[in-house]
Amino acid sequence: MIPSVSRSLLLLGFLGLSVVATSCRTIPPDQTTDALTINRSAFAGQPIVDVVVLPIEDRSPRLTFADNEAVLRESLARKLVDLEYSAIRDLTYVDRAMAAAGVTGGSSVNQDLHAGLRNRMEEDAILGIRVDSWELGRLDENPPFVSFSAQVLMTASETGEVLVSGQFGGLIHPSEGIPPTTRKGRAEAAADRLGAILLNRVPFRAAIADVDG
């Protein structure tokens, strides 16, 4: 017979494995595809440090992304810092510059809008994001997912060259760990992850500087 102490240890081990297995099932991989073009020669050809993050353009049906625009802008800013850039994201400052340039109401992924803003904020580049869809129908599933599609445009202010452009879409999990318990929290967590995902292929500034040097 197995001693009671051994049986207890076996039970604890089984429960521990069950928890680990359950946790692993709650972190499924994202299912995304992108058609982004990264102009590495343009990055290398000019100093890119300060990047303006334009207001997020919500073109989703029923404007379902509106509540998460601030979350995404902050996520984009953090990702830029992780990549060793500096993010200019103060909405009041950016909005004032857009009003002075007469480009308010235009699309954040329109090259003409970017051209109208060039060098108005002492920036090296301008980043615009347009969210075309943000579907929360699978947010209550186990595991939860958000379906999205978005467009990205990043241009250099000195030359007007396009640094990053294209579309991104698919399914993303709200969290890399256990997702938040509330629906609102899961939507915000997904928007937060979206920023890092959209800029995932943007090169590190230090790596570009090394190549350029």
Side-chain angles (χ1 to χ4, degrees), residues 129-141:
I129 304 291
R130 186 174 87 183
V131 177
D132 293 313
S133 67
W134 186 251
E135 298 297 334
L136 305 179
R138 300 185 61 181
L139 200 56
D140 295 321
E141 294 183 6

Side-chain angles (χ1 to χ4, degrees), residues 42-43 46-48 114-115 118-119 123-127 154-164:
F43 271 101
Q46 55 205 302
I48 303 295
H114 285 226
R118 283 173 58 187
N119 301 312
E123 81 290 343
D124 301 307
I126 299 171
L127 173 64
M154 184 176 180
T155 60
S157 293
E158 182 177 342
T159 64
E161 287 182 277
V162 174
L163 300 168
V164 182

Side-chain angles (χ1 to χ4, degrees), residues 68-134:
N68 298 299
E69 291 176 12
V71 174
L72 177 55
R73 289 188 86 242
E74 286 301 313
S75 175
L76 292 167
R78 287 198 310 274
K79 181 62 176 179
L80 286 169
V81 171
D82 289 344
L83 295 170
E84 301 179 355
Y85 301 95
S86 176
I88 302 172
R89 62 187 186 276
D90 181 85
L91 270 178
T92 302
Y93 178 66
V94 175
D95 285 350
R96 188 182 300 123
M98 293 180 72
V103 296
T104 54
S107 174
S108 294
V109 294
N110 184 292
Q111 290 190 48
D112 290 339
L113 183 145
H114 285 226
L117 283 174
R118 283 173 58 187
N119 301 312
R120 288 182 174 269
M121 291 170 275
E122 299 183 358
E123 81 290 343
D124 301 307
I126 299 171
L127 173 64
I129 304 291
R130 186 174 87 183
V131 177
D132 293 313
S133 67
W134 186 251

